[in-house]
Structure formats: C-alpha cells, structure tokens
Amino acid sequence: MHVRLLSHRPESGWSIPLPSELDSARTLVLAFAATDYGERTEVWEELAGAFPASHRLGCSSAGEILGQTVAEGSLVLAVVRFEHATVTSTAAPIQAVEVSRSTGGKIARALAPHAPKLVLVVSDGLHVNGTDLVRGLAEGLPAGTAIAGGLAGDGAHFGRTWTLVDGLPRSGWVSAVALGGPIAVGHASEGGWQAFGPEREVTASEGNVLYTLDGKPALALYKDYLGDLAAGLPATALYYPLAIRMPGEAGPGIVRTVLGIDETAQSMTFAGDIPLGARTRLMRSNHDRLVEGAAHAGAQARAGAWAPVFAIAVSCVGRRMVLGQRVDEETAATLEALPEGSSQVGFYSYGEISPSGVATCNLHNQTMTLTTIREVAA
Amino acid sequence: MKSLHNLLARQLARLGVDASRPPDVTAWETLLARVSETYADADRERYLLERSQAISSREMEELNAKLELERDRLESRVRERTAELAASEARFRSFTSLGSDWYWEQDAQFRFTSIAGNTEVYPGHTIGSHIGRTRWEIDDYDAPAGGWDDHRRLLESHQPFHEVVFRLKLPNGGRAYASVSGLPMFDDEGRFTGYRGIGRDITEQKLTEENIRRLARFDPLTGLANRTSLFEHVEHAIARSRRRPRPFALLFVDLDRFKDVNDAFGHSTGDEVLRTMARRLSLAIRAGDTVARIGGDEFVVLAEEVSPATVVADFSQRLLDTLAEPIVLQGKEFRVGASIGIAMFPADGEDAPTLLKKADMAMYRAKESGRNGYAFFAAETRNEPQERILLVSGLRRAIEADELVLFYQPKIAVRGGTMTGAEALIRWRHPQRGLLLPGTFIPLAEDSGLIRQIGRWVLRTACLQAKAWQSVAPYPVPVAVNLSARQFGDDRLAGEVAEALADSGLPARLLELEITESIMMEQPEHAAEKLRELRALGVHIAVDDFGTGYSSLARLKRFPLTSVKIDRSFVREIPHDPDDAAITTAVIAMAHSLRLRVVAEGVETEAQVRFLRERNCDEIQGFFFSRPLPAREVLPFLRRRADAHAAAIGTG
C-alpha cells in the first residue's frame, strides 16, 4: 500500500506535485475541501487528468484534516494505491429527503456484489436523512461489512454541500467506494460529551425535525441555554448536542447534532431522527474530554496493528466549534495513538458514519470517528 | 524563558514563529489574533458552563417544586382515601359485630380467605380457623345427606345461594346448625374470583323444631301415640305395602260408658280410667301393632299382621274382653267396655283419612248393634276370599266332623233364682283356631247357604239335648234357639222345626225360638204369618234384642209371642242411666200387660238384678249368673241353684 498526502490552497496551489505515478485501477483518491472548491473546476480537471484510472471520492467539509493539522478554506488529498485490494466506486442522487433509505439501498446493491470489506460513503450533508441513509446501506450490504464515512459539511454556514460524482463536485448526491480483498479494517467512534440536567420528552417531532420538548418549543430551550450566544444559531446549537434514548432502552443512547433552525415553525433540524416519545437530555463537553475521546478512538481503531495504517478521520463540526483554537489537539491525539509511520486524512462533517458496537452501522454526531486500513497478506 | 502553554507553543509553531525572536508583522498579527481567539474560547467555555449550570439548576428547582406539589396532592388524596376506607371498615365491623352472624369470603377455589363478625358463636370451635381450607376440608362440618357433591356443584355454577343448612360437630360432642348464604364475586373482566356471604347459627331453632315435632307425637295424658303419630304410622304401613302387598286393619275403639264415668266421678277419675284403658290396650296388642289415642275416649289400633282376616275378628274380641273387664272406681266395680269399628287396607280405603273414617262408621254400627262389640266396615271382610273358601269348606266339614258344639246360657228366675231354661249358643271347635264364636262363621254360613244345614243341626241338637235333660232334671227345662234372618225367611222353617221335635221327641212347649225384633219387623206381614205357623206347632216364641228394632206396637200386639227379651244395651246402663231405666220399666210393664214374659239379657251387676227384681222382670240372663256353659255343666248348675233356692225357702 502506497500512501501520499498533499494539500492545495487557493493562493499557493499544490503543496507537492500530484503523484500521478500512483494512478491505477486499485488506487483510491480521497479529496476533502472547503465548500468554495465546489466552483474551482480547474482543480478537479487537474485531478482527473493526473488520476484517470483511480477511484476519486470526496466532499465539502467544515474543516480539512491532514496529518494532525486542521485547516480551512483548503483542500486535502490522499492518494492510496493498493497492491491486492479491489476498489469499486458508485454514486446515486437523493431525489428527496424522504427517499434517503432507498438511496442507501441503491448504493448498497451496486457495491454488494464486490464482496466489500469496507464501504466508504460520503453524502450530501443537508438534504438527507442520515439515519435512513445508513439504514438503507446497512440493509443492502452483507452482514459484517464495515461502513464508514460522513455527511459533507459547509463550514459553519449550513448552506450548501457537495460530494464528488465521477470526480466532479455535485450537490444532492451520495458517493461511495467499496474496498475488498486482503485488507484489515479498524474503526472507532468516540464522543466525550456528557448529558446534564433534566430529561425531556420529545412531544412533537417529524423525522429529523424537532418541534417541542415536554410540550415547550425546543428552539426556545436552546436560546435560553445559549443566552448571548443564541445570536449565532444554528451553529451555536452545536454546543448542546442532544442525547436521545427510547423509553425502556438502557445505555447512553445516541447523540444528535443540530443542522438548522426554522424561526417561523419554531423547529430545529437534526442530522438524524428525533423519534416522538424519545427521552432527551442536553449535553456538554469541554476540550479535555473531547481530546481524550479522540485519543481513545485512535487507540481502538488501531485494532492492535503494529504496521503503519492509513487512517480516515471524520470528526464533527460541533467538536470543532467547542475546541476552537485547540482543535488540532484531537487530530494530533488520534494520529499519536496509531502505529508510527501511519497517515491520516479526513474532514469535519455534519454527521459521522461508523460501525457502533454490535450493529453494522450508525449515524453519529459530535464524535471523532476513525477508520484504519492496511493491507494484509493475501 | 518559562515553558510556554502547549497551545501557545503550537500556535507559534503553526505560524512558524520562533519563541526566542519576535516575528514579522504579519505573523505577529496572526499570532495575536489567534491568542485573542484562544482567550475568547476560554471565556466562551466558561460562560456556557456557568449558564448551563444556572439554568439547569433553575429547571431542577422548578421541577422539584412541581413534584412537591404533586406529592402533596397525592398524599392528600391518599389521606382521603384512607379515611374513606377506615370509615367503610368501621361500618362493616359494626354491622358484623352487632349481629349474631359472621361474614365469610372464599377464593376462586372455594378456600376461605377471610372471616369476620361473630366468629366465637360456637364454644370451642373457632370459625376463624377455617381460613385456607374449603368447607369440605373442615372436619367439624358434617357432610350433608348425599355427600358434598351437590354443594360443590352449586358453588361451581357460580350462582348465589340462600340459607343452606350445615350441621357441625362441636368439641363438647354436641351438634350445632348453621344457615349459610353466599354471593359469587367477579372482577372487572367478568372472571369469577370467589364467593362471599354470611353465616348464622340456627341451632336453637332447629332444636326447637325437633322438640315440637317430638311433642307432637304423643298424647300427654296416656303416653300413647297421638293422631299425628298414628297418621305417620299408617302412611308408613301404606308405603311398605307398596313394596310388598300386605293388608292391615285400623280398629277404631270407642269406649262405651266413658261419659258416665266422667259425669259420675269427675274428670280426674275419668283421666284415670283413660289411662287404665290405654294400658290395657297397650298390653293387649301384639308386637308390631300401634295403639294411639286420637280424641276424648277414642283410640285407634293399627294392626299389621292381619292374615288371615279371621285374626282381626278374634283380636278385636280380645280387645273388647280386656276393656270390658271391671275397673274399681271409688270402691265400686265398674265395667266400661268399648265398641270397635274395623276398616281394612286396601279393601276399604287406600289412605289414612279414608280408612279412619270408615273405621269410625263401622264403630258406630257396632255401637248401634248393642255396644261391647265390633263391626267390620264391609261385612264381607270378616273373611278374606281365600280364607272364606277355606272356612266355608271347613264349616261344611265341621258339621260332619262334629266340630260344631252348642253351649247353653242359663236363664234365671228373678224370684227364687232357679234356672228356668237355657239359650243354646253355637260354637265351632276349629281344629287350628280353637273355639270360634258365631260372629266369626254365622255370616259366612248365611252367605254360603250352609246356614240351613247348620240351623237344622242346631235345632236337632238342642231338641235332643233338652230331651235328654227332661229325663234327669227335677223339672222341665226349656231350651231356646236363635233363628237367623235367613232361617226365618225360609219357607221350610216350620217343617224343619216340626221334624226336629218329632225326631227328638221333645215336647213343643219346651222349645223356644228367639227371633230378633229387627228380623220380625223387616217384613211384618210375613213375620206375623210365619210366627202363627210356628206357634201353631206349639213352640214358644221370644222377640230377641227388644228395643233395638223398629217395632210398631200395634203390630207387636198381633204377633203370637211368648216372651220379650230386653236388649242388653238397655240393661247395661241401668240403674244409672235414667232413660234406660225408664225404658226397661216401660218394656216390662208393656210386656206384662200383653201377658208376655220378660227376660233381661246381659245382666252383669247386682244393681241391675235388684232393679229388675223391683220392676218385676221375670227372668234374667247374663254373666252375673252364668256364662254360656257346655252341655254337661248345665244340669249341675241347675241343681245347685235349685238347692240354694230350697235352702232359702227352707224346703229340700
């Protein structure tokens, strides 16, 4: 497995020349960039020219991860040529949010015949029901297939996201790559958030749109807790993710991130489903715990490997907001947990996709999700 | 330089700034901006931390306050409900404790779950100890007749039940009775959950009922069974007879002279007489018979072994004899006697009231016939058909086998006391049954036509006997022979009388024919002619049982009679009964004025003799002087009386 990492900045171009010698049918090219790169067609044409045979996967982000650095307004690139692993790519448009599940199913059916060990998927971050998408993917793929990836981001703007479809940025699509053959995959997803305060019942909701908690508008609750910071909604809502638990379920439940608000409807849109009757609690974190969580994720995703691995880190925009200037402490923490010589690339997303526990896959929020890949003896 | 905060060090490193040298302006400005941001981050973090804490606390307080309100409300509701429940319990307790009843509950398997109220009603037996068991698992409950199955079926039907009576054993060995009522219980979904109800002690009531029933069985004065008890016995006999047909007889025994005793001696003496008669009856009946007192001087005997039916007649006679035995009242001898009416089951009736009524009617007939006698309701029932046949054939044989025999009851002259004659009375020495009285077989003889043969035999025998006496008696002794209705109605009677006289050689004037007043008056014209015919033979004619028929004195004076025999029923009551005394006096006077001799029958007491002597009655016949005697004892009797008379008048 050959890995080359590089970046591109609008003012300075490529950090190193494009390694087109790594182009092949077994080559995966990962590109995560600021939303503005969606208009920079020349960059994509360059890439297309340099890597005609490779499988290109990527999306817009809320922050670009390269090694242990977090940048913005840039593009990060990882070129990975596999010796024996197979690479397949596909894409599907999302007609409407309501059909997120069937879109996931379509992607899955296209990839399933290739006996994937890992499916990397990136999706439009705003016009999708992430929970349903992941469900559709999981239903269509063989049991035991690891699914990882995330929802494309748009900085803190929540305006427009894109994914690469045939190497070109497009909004409203889901793109995926399947890796099969002699590879070992590790994965981990850690939060570091803590729930506090009273439990509140979801008394009005529709899919991933939340209206009321305990009969009172959720938006009003958030504004109360944000105080002066309410002016920064919807972004500042990321400071208080929601922990969701169905009545009768044990365990910590699932964390949900706000993607948008509607003042008229007094509603809040989340990255995943907010079921009616679910019990919710506000969550908080501080930077120490977040970094600790990331380090933990790194250690888990390593999966006992000693040889260098290629790691894809998908973290959450909410963490970026909390960590602020110290954001690169978490990406440093994950890389430090991996074997020496490992490479890391990734992005800050609007929702992370990763296996969780026994279940095949889940949509996470506010987590640092790490997926490690290495080639093993055939 | 002191080591830098690692964030600052990183920020410097990112900008490529060396800590030891000031950076260029751009780098410197960028660095300051980033450091400033870092401070802002820290501020923001603190702000959010404090804000979330404050608001969260406030929320918690609000929630607490709400919960407290809710809790207070609930507590107040609980207090209310508890008070309501306590009041309800108190009402229940006062209800159950005031009464003599107890309240019980059972679960769906009919095991007692709760008992309240008067649980100590049975000394030594705690009703409360029933809990956990079904009623049939409790030893102290006696199983109802037929076992527990019926009660269990009732409970399993989940129906209400009222006043089911159970008997309990008490530790002291006694018995108690409880009346239990119950209602089924169902839950909200209609499922049966058990029973609840009350129980009541009814031991006293039950015992009282039993006492009443027992008291209602016996006559307090005599200790005999009472009417109710008699009817029960008769019902039982009828029921038994349904299984195995067995006839039985009801004997209605009415004392003859009880009214006299009460009037003459007072009620306490009367009671004594009743007790005596009751005792005599009790001793006279056979094992298996029942005797009851059903009214003033009325008794009923239920006789069960009545086969053959002749046994009833003999039995009745025995009862009559024992009741006729004298009783000493205030130093004087008194004979009470009785009349008995007999009804047979099933011939005369198939239920107790009918049988009793018929026995009563028969009793009246017996009374009318002269008292101290018995009568069957249906005369034919003297003998059962097969018995009849047997008796008839026996009778036929008896005539040939010399089983018939004549006894002779002496007639005594009132003045002088000598024997003036004798009445021939037929008896049958039955090989199995012993001496049978004419009442037993004469009606049979009449029905079967044997009466003619018997009648001829009686005439012949009496004439022969009288003839025999003439040769050895100191003076002529006439013999009297009773004629039955059939004989009297027979045209050949005169011929047979003549024949008997001729065969025996007895002078006609020494033969007296006794014919009852009733027979004479049945067809008076015919009677007159018949009597003339007989009188023409030279025989004497006596009207028997005078006063009991429907005589027309006009006719009577035209009959060629020789003597009048006053019926025993008048004689019995003299001298006490003024009516009977008057009648007797009148009859004697009338007979004398018609130049007829008067004989009084059934004389038993000296007072009667004295009275009759004062009234100039001619002759007396009765137990006072002699019972009917066998032929060989007649002459010795006659001689004794003759000697006594001679001694009395100083002759001989």
Side-chain angles (χ1 to χ4, degrees):
Chain A
M1 187 172 77
H2 280 95
V3 182
R4 203 69 59 83
L5 301 180
L6 56 151
S7 65
H8 182 284
R9 293 208 65 89
E11 60 276 9
S12 52
W14 296 104
S15 58
I16 58 168
L18 292 173
S20 54
E21 70 279 8
L22 293 178
D23 179 52
S24 81
R26 294 183 197 276
T27 301
L28 171 65
V29 175
L30 284 173
F32 304 112
T35 316
D36 287 344
Y37 272 81
E39 273 77 61
R40 300 182 84 84
T41 46
E42 69 281 6
V43 175
W44 307 109
E45 281 166 1
E46 251 191 283
L47 279 174
F51 302 101
S54 307
H55 301 266
R56 281 157 284 159
L57 183 74
C59 62
S60 59
S61 75
E64 302 79 57
I65 301 171
L66 193 69
Q68 62 181 5
T69 315
V70 179
E72 61 201 25
S74 70
L75 180 147
V76 293
L77 200 74
V79 180
V80 184
R81 190 182 72 190
F82 294 96
E83 297 300 313
H84 303 289
T86 60
V87 187
T88 322
S89 52
T90 188
I94 307 168
Q95 313 287 31
V97 174
E98 295 75 36
V99 298
S100 302
R101 184 165 168 185
S102 60
T103 311
K106 209 184 291 184
I107 300 276
R109 276 194 297 281
L111 297 175
H114 300 275
K117 284 232 177 68
L118 171 67
V119 168
L120 294 170
V121 57
V122 289
S123 161
D124 187 286
L126 292 170
H127 304 290
V128 71
N129 182 321
T131 314
D132 285 353
L133 172 70
V134 169
R135 195 177 294 136
L137 281 167
E139 281 168 0
L141 289 167
T145 311
I147 307 171
L151 305 182
D154 178 25
H157 307 299
F158 298 98
R160 183 178 78 93
T161 65
W162 49 259
T163 62
L164 289 181
V165 181
D166 288 332
L168 291 172
R170 298 192 65 175
S171 295
W173 278 75
V174 180
S175 310
V177 155
L179 300 175
I183 54 167
V185 176
H187 48 77
S189 174
E190 289 283 333
W193 297 85
Q194 273 191 349
F196 71 96
E199 203 174 54
R200 306 165 210 274
E201 186 182 334
V202 175
T203 45
S205 72
E206 222 177 290
N208 59 345
V209 180
L210 173 65
Y211 292 95
T212 63
L213 291 169
D214 286 348
K216 293 189 287 248
L219 189 55
L221 179 73
Y222 268 81
K223 283 182 180 173
D224 206 3
Y225 270 81
L226 286 169
D228 296 336
L229 298 177
L233 279 168
T236 51
L238 292 166
Y239 291 129
Y240 293 118
L242 215 56
I244 298 191
R245 184 179 67 80
M246 288 312 288
E249 259 173 30
I254 294 219
V255 182
R256 284 286 178 256
T257 295
V258 179
L259 289 185
I261 62 167
D262 185 338
E263 286 283 1
T264 332
Q266 285 285 289
S267 72
M268 303 179 76
T269 308
F270 284 76
D273 278 350
I274 312 286
L276 195 63
R279 301 278 194 264
T280 67
R281 281 176 90 192
L282 291 176
M283 301 183 95
R284 257 195 56 74
S285 193
N286 63 29
H287 110 281
D288 282 332
R289 279 208 298 276
L290 292 178
V291 172
E292 210 176 290
H296 207 239
Q300 268 205 276
R302 180 176 175 159
W306 286 105
V309 301
F310 172 62
I312 304 166
V314 182
S315 186
C316 186
V317 60
R319 297 168 76 93
R320 177 126 198 246
M321 290 198 61
V322 173
L323 288 167
Q325 279 295 309
R326 305 177 73 164
V327 65
D328 50 3
E329 284 182 35
E330 74 163 358
T331 48
T334 52
L335 193 53
E336 274 158 25
L338 297 175
E340 186 142 355
S342 298
S343 329
Q344 176 172 269
V345 75
F347 69 105
Y348 277 82
S349 77
Y350 282 173
E352 309 78 64
I353 296 173
S354 173
S356 68
V358 180
T360 315
C361 181
N362 244 317
L363 179 80
H364 299 265
N365 285 148
Q366 317 278 133
T367 61
M368 162 58 85
T369 301
L370 207 62
T371 307
T372 61
I373 306 166
R374 62 190 168 90
E375 280 196 284
V376 294
Chain B
M1 195 182 314
K2 222 165 73 181
S3 66
L4 297 172
H5 190 277
N6 62 357
L7 174 59
L8 182 58
R10 268 212 320 278
Q11 283 172 323
L12 289 171
R14 240 206 271 124
L15 288 170
V17 173
D18 186 346
S20 56
R21 276 182 307 120
D24 62 59
V25 176
T26 325
W28 174 241
E29 282 170 356
T30 314
L31 178 66
L32 285 178
R34 289 190 181 172
V35 169
S36 184
E37 267 182 59
T38 307
Y39 289 146
D41 283 349
D43 285 347
R44 184 202 67 226
E45 180 139 332
R46 204 164 38 245
Y47 175 76
L48 283 176
L49 177 67
E50 282 165 14
R51 191 166 179 87
S52 56
Q53 251 186 9
I55 296 181
S56 186
S57 298
R58 191 198 72 212
E59 283 196 278
M60 294 300 244
E61 273 166 25
E62 282 170 13
L63 197 61
N64 265 357
K66 252 181 36 187
L67 285 173
E68 255 171 55
L69 270 176
E70 186 67 22
R71 186 202 61 205
D72 287 344
R73 212 166 52 75
L74 283 172
E75 272 180 11
S76 146
R77 276 248 306 266
V78 167
R79 269 196 299 276
E80 263 173 45
R81 292 287 160 85
T82 308
E84 280 171 23
L85 186 64
S88 176
E89 276 284 322
R91 276 196 291 275
F92 171 72
R93 260 179 226 303
S94 63
F95 175 73
T96 53
S97 70
L98 284 175
S100 58
D101 302 352
W102 60 92
Y103 167 83
W104 56 268
E105 277 186 24
Q106 288 172 347
D107 64 15
Q109 282 79 42
F110 314 120
R111 278 188 286 263
F112 286 105
T113 54
S114 162
I115 315 244
N118 188 11
T119 61
E120 304 297 319
V121 59
Y122 297 119
H125 170 102
T126 318
I127 298 177
S129 67
H130 294 346
I131 291 189
R133 295 185 283 171
T134 61
R135 208 181 288 277
W136 45 91
E137 287 168 357
I138 296 163
D139 292 336
D140 294 340
Y141 274 96
D142 284 342
W148 283 103
D149 287 348
D150 283 346
H151 185 61
R152 289 173 83 148
R153 254 199 297 280
L154 168 71
L155 293 181
E156 270 149 29
S157 73
H158 301 166
Q159 294 294 312
F161 60 90
H162 298 283
E163 295 176 352
V164 173
V165 177
F166 292 101
R167 199 173 68 170
L168 293 101
K169 278 196 289 281
L170 295 183
N172 62 8
R175 284 215 147 46
Y177 293 88
S179 167
V180 176
S181 305
L183 288 172
M185 301 191 285
F186 303 95
D187 65 13
D188 292 338
E189 283 148 38
R191 278 192 297 254
F192 172 74
T193 56
Y195 265 92
R196 67 166 145 229
I198 56 165
R200 173 175 296 154
D201 171 47
I202 57 166
T203 309
E204 215 171 283
Q205 272 153 259
K206 261 280 188 255
L207 291 181
T208 307
E209 278 169 29
E210 280 178 19
N211 261 343
I212 290 173
R213 257 202 298 279
R214 197 157 34 86
L215 282 174
R217 280 196 158 128
F218 292 99
D219 168 54
L221 178 67
T222 60
L224 297 179
N226 64 6
R227 191 193 197 91
T228 312
S229 184
L230 170 75
F231 269 80
E232 274 180 28
H233 277 99
V234 174
E235 296 299 334
H236 283 148
I238 292 173
R240 271 200 297 279
S241 200
R242 295 222 170 83
R243 288 197 294 277
R244 246 184 353 117
R246 281 162 48 174
F248 61 83
L250 269 192
L251 280 64
F252 200 115
V253 180
D254 187 293
L255 297 182
D256 282 339
R257 306 188 58 186
F258 184 69
K259 186 171 171 298
D260 292 345
V261 171
N262 249 1
D263 293 345
F265 297 99
H267 286 279
S268 56
T269 308
D271 286 351
E272 195 50 51
V273 169
L274 287 172
R275 272 196 284 270
T276 307
M277 294 299 138
R279 220 173 4 257
R280 287 185 187 179
L281 281 173
S282 301
L283 292 170
I285 61 171
R286 311 151 308 169
D289 294 342
T290 308
V291 55
R293 176 177 172 230
I294 62 166
D297 63 341
E298 295 170 332
F299 298 84
V300 173
V301 175
L302 169 64
E304 297 214 46
E305 296 297 322
V306 295
S307 179
T310 49
V311 162
V312 184
D314 291 347
F315 177 55
S316 305
Q317 187 61 52
R318 258 209 312 286
L319 293 182
L320 287 173
D321 289 346
T322 186
L323 291 176
E325 299 254 333
I327 184 172
V328 179
L329 300 174
Q330 295 185 4
K332 300 211 177 65
E333 268 196 5
F334 211 77
R335 282 189 214 264
V336 177
S339 300
I340 299 183
I342 307 163
M344 304 292 293
F345 171 90
D348 296 334
E350 292 185 17
D351 61 85
T354 307
L355 289 168
L356 203 63
K357 189 163 68 157
K358 297 208 174 157
D360 190 24
M361 288 162 65
M363 183 276 294
Y364 273 107
R365 252 198 286 124
K367 263 213 203 296
E368 282 164 14
S369 301
R371 308 193 195 180
N372 199 29
Y374 62 83
F376 284 84
F377 177 77
E380 295 80 39
T381 62
R382 259 168 286 199
N383 297 309
E384 288 168 353
Q386 59 269 43
E387 288 300 326
R388 250 172 98 88
I389 296 168
L390 280 175
L391 214 55
V392 166
S393 59
L395 194 56
R396 219 183 292 277
R397 201 195 60 246
I399 300 164
E400 275 113 45
D402 284 346
E403 288 172 9
L404 295 179
V405 66
L406 288 181
F407 278 46
Y408 301 91
Q409 189 171 35
K411 297 183 202 179
I412 310 296
V414 166
R415 302 209 184 285
T418 56
M419 177 177 156
T420 54
E423 181 181 354
L425 299 164
I426 188 172
R427 302 282 185 262
W428 177 10
R429 280 195 212 285
H430 192 279
Q432 283 86 42
R433 301 226 194 95
L435 203 66
L436 298 182
L437 300 176
T440 310
F441 60 92
I442 290 302
L444 191 65
E446 291 199 307
D447 286 349
S448 60
L450 284 171
I451 193 66
R452 210 171 141 237
Q453 213 177 340
I454 291 173
R456 274 209 308 275
W457 177 86
V458 170
L459 274 171
R460 253 180 75 76
T461 311
C463 289
L464 281 169
Q465 183 61 70
K467 176 72 177 147
W469 287 335
Q470 303 326 311
S471 33
V472 290
Y475 50 85
V477 180
V479 71
V481 167
N482 284 288
L483 292 181
S484 71
R486 204 169 279 253
Q487 281 175 300
F488 185 67
D490 197 339
D491 289 340
R492 297 163 285 189
L493 178 62
E496 282 167 6
V497 170
E499 194 180 7
L501 286 170
D503 284 351
S504 62
L506 183 70
R509 69 174 194 289
L510 292 182
L511 177 62
E512 190 176 56
L513 301 174
E514 292 189 7
I515 303 153
T516 65
E517 180 187 15
S518 311
I519 292 171
M520 285 186 188
M521 290 305 160
E522 265 174 23
Q523 288 177 305
E525 291 298 337
H526 186 241
E529 197 185 303
K530 210 34 165 286
L531 290 173
R532 271 196 289 278
E533 194 182 344
L534 291 167
R535 192 78 182 97
L537 293 174
V539 299
H540 288 203
I541 303 191
V543 54
D544 201 1
D545 295 338
F546 186 79
T548 63
Y550 297 92
S551 293
S552 156
L553 290 178
R555 294 209 183 278
L556 198 65
K557 73 174 184 188
R558 279 202 251 282
F559 287 168
L561 303 170
T562 334
S563 60
V564 173
K565 295 187 84 174
I566 303 177
D567 183 64
R568 61 186 66 236
S569 62
F570 300 113
V571 174
R572 188 176 306 145
E573 306 301 314
I574 58 176
H576 314 293
D577 191 316
D579 293 341
D580 287 353
I583 288 169
T584 308
T585 309
V587 166
I588 295 170
M590 179 206 72
H592 283 165
S593 63
L594 291 174
R595 287 174 301 284
L596 302 172
R597 259 190 10 267
V598 183
V599 181
E601 291 179 274
V603 175
E604 293 171 0
T605 69
E606 196 173 342
Q608 290 163 349
V609 176
R610 224 181 358 261
F611 175 90
L612 290 164
R613 189 183 298 127
E614 282 163 14
R615 301 300 183 284
N616 294 319
C617 183
D618 301 305
E619 287 168 70
I620 287 176
Q621 184 180 341
F623 279 74
F624 184 80
F625 291 104
S626 176
R627 69 186 196 290
L629 302 168
R632 64 175 185 284
E633 289 178 32
V634 173
L635 277 182
F637 177 86
L638 182 147
R639 287 206 184 92
R640 274 201 304 280
R641 295 223 65 96
D643 290 344
H645 171 69
I649 61 171
T651 64

